[in-house]
């Protein structure tokens, strides 16, 4: 598959010791991946890092430089281990302080006398960032440059993504066609499939085995942005599978 | 939390377009994270990259240099998009060819006349690597240096991890204690919790919100390798939660 130089690309950075310890199983990567694929943005890399400044700052700078968009999840709550906003400010070399707009959002949920120092941490926003509203618990995320900083709690992340998504200029939509090869062994069709893959420069063809209680079930997927090419590739793959199934 | 310079660390590299497209939801990261935590190896970073040589080789070299162990999943099947073994050989600067031991394993499942070129791809092993047996579909993984190359299908990955795990020198086991804060808001305990966290150099304390159908449910977790320290931290956190709940 050749790379389209005008393609929109993205990375995800998941921030949190609780994911790396296995205590919490991440659900956000799959949600964001599905969303980006649907709107034609190619997710090219994901990283998960601990709640440590050097790791976060390093990953933010590496990923925002390499991709059109970077989406982060986690580390924007009120406790001492929530350091994402400070790290993003450091990565961009900008200041960070309590943002009046963010404080106003927190006051929709908390009484002024309950807005203690810890809660005000959630209103600390890097200079120059735009806020991403949080309809569930009010503490906002933010966008700075090409970086979108979102919550780690999946329902809040989803609500933030729903807001951010429609504002993004997106790429040509990726089209995907699946051919079920069932229990036809990959090794039976691999050589012919490679030939088909070689003949379509603009279609990415993959073979994905999974296991069911009855044994293997293989799927062959053709993905690309040109509908005619994807359809032709699909037809060739279907013919191959039909021929081998006999 | 201070870093123990003798600690064992690990990274995971997930290889596969199907994860980045959202089509397949990764299950291996959580499985490996749980395993490593249980045996006292600190998982420090995870990356997910596409089926592309530069991305794979770059990530293998970055992660194997930075950590005691690197575990990879995916890309070791017979089809054209399975390029992990070749990329790992390139990362290490060693040759790769059909390995007689791996071929013998494949012959346990396939008749000699069915061992076509595609299936023999699964016996291509970098020079100097040790094999990791695959009790399910026979095509082996391998270990080279500090890198463990495993299958992407979760049941096969699990079987490989079960074999590899007991051979690893592990670190001091990480102990973890959880205090349920229920619907006590994080902002109510954040300042006091930060004080407790500051007073335990050898315990990592985190606060993890989640949402249930009844609203927020917060958990505070103390993790460390010294049982007495972790127990004292837990007691202080319990007392804090009890006091605030009134």
């Amino acid at each position: 598959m050749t790379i389209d130089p005008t393609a929109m690309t993205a990375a995800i950075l998941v921030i949190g010791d609780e994911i790396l310890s296995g205590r919490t199983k991440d659900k956000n990567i799959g949600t964001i991946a599905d969303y980006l694929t649907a709107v034609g943005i190619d997710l090219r890399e994901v990283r998960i890092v601990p709640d440590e400044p050097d790791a976060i700052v390093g990953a933010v700078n590496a990923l925002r430089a390499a991709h059109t968009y970077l989406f982060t999840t986690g580390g924007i709550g009120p406790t001492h281990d929530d350091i994402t906003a400070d790290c993003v400010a450091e990565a961009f070399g900008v200041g960070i302080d309590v943002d009046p707009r963010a404080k106003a959002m927190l006051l929709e949920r908390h009484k002024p006398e309950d807005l203690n120092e810890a809660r005000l941490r959630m209103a600390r926003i890097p200079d120059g960032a735009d806020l991403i509203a949080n309809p569930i618990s009010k503490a906002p995320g933010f966008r700075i440059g090409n970086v979108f900083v979102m919550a780690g709690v999946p329902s809040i992340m989803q609500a933030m993504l729903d807001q951010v998504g429609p504002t993004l200029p997106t790429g040509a939509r990726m089209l995907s066609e699946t051919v079920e090869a069932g229990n036809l062994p990959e090794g039976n069709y691999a050589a012919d499939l490679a030939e088909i893959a070689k003949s379509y420069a603009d279609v990415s063809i993959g073979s994905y085995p999974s296991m069911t209680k009855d044994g293997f079930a293989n799927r062959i997927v053709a993905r690309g942005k040109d509908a005619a090419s994807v359809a032709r590739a699909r037809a060739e793959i279907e013919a191959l599978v039909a021929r081998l199934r006999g």
Side-chain angles (χ1 to χ4, degrees), chain A:
Chain A
M1 182 187 180
T2 52
I3 300 298
D4 172 7
T6 66
M8 302 277 179
T9 68
I12 298 172
L13 177 62
V14 175
I15 297 163
D17 291 349
E18 72 275 24
I19 305 291
L20 293 172
S21 74
R23 168 175 304 278
T24 301
K25 301 295 183 279
D26 172 78
K27 294 176 183 164
N28 292 326
I29 295 170
T31 303
I32 301 172
D34 283 337
Y35 188 91
L36 294 175
T37 296
V39 300
I41 296 173
D42 287 339
L43 177 61
R44 304 283 300 165
E45 184 170 0
V46 177
R47 296 193 193 181
I48 308 175
V49 297
D51 299 317
E52 292 173 14
D54 289 353
I56 299 170
V57 173
V60 166
N61 278 333
L63 296 173
R64 74 185 175 100
H67 301 285
T68 316
Y69 304 116
L70 168 62
F71 299 87
T72 80
T73 67
I76 65 169
T79 57
H80 63 280
D81 52 334
D82 291 306
I83 59 174
T84 298
D86 286 88
C87 291
V88 171
E90 186 181 333
F92 277 83
V94 302
I96 179 169
D97 207 343
V98 171
D99 182 302
R101 300 166 300 170
K103 187 175 170 182
M105 290 173 171
L106 293 177
L107 285 168
E108 294 170 22
R109 180 166 186 231
H110 302 287
K111 295 179 198 150
E113 61 268 30
D114 290 339
L115 217 52
N116 56 23
E117 197 180 330
R119 290 206 172 88
L120 275 175
R121 276 176 68 79
M122 296 190 288
R124 286 168 60 78
I125 304 290
D127 294 348
D130 295 321
L131 302 189
I132 303 171
N134 168 350
I136 296 174
S137 58
K138 300 304 176 187
F142 58 87
R143 172 188 183 152
I144 179 168
N146 62 339
V147 180
F148 297 83
V149 174
M150 304 189 291
V153 174
S155 56
I156 302 176
M157 194 290 296
Q158 177 76 63
M160 291 180 169
L161 188 62
D162 287 342
Q163 277 174 77
V164 162
T167 72
L168 301 176
T170 55
R173 189 161 304 210
M174 183 68 73
L175 304 168
S176 174
E177 293 276 356
T178 299
V179 176
E180 300 289 349
N183 62 1
L184 185 65
E186 282 191 299
N188 288 16
Y189 61 71
D192 291 324
L193 189 67
E195 286 303 311
I196 296 173
K198 230 180 281 178
S199 68
Y200 287 90
D202 59 348
V203 180
S204 167
I205 297 176
S207 173
Y208 306 118
S210 63
M211 294 205 62
T212 70
K213 58 182 189 314
D214 304 319
F216 275 94
N218 296 320
R219 288 184 162 179
I220 304 169
V221 178
R223 297 172 72 236
K225 294 179 176 176
D226 183 81
S229 284
V230 173
R232 277 198 304 274
R234 184 210 161 95
E236 282 202 48
I237 296 164
E238 279 182 328
L240 168 64
V241 169
R243 176 165 61 81
L244 292 176
R245 283 195 163 288

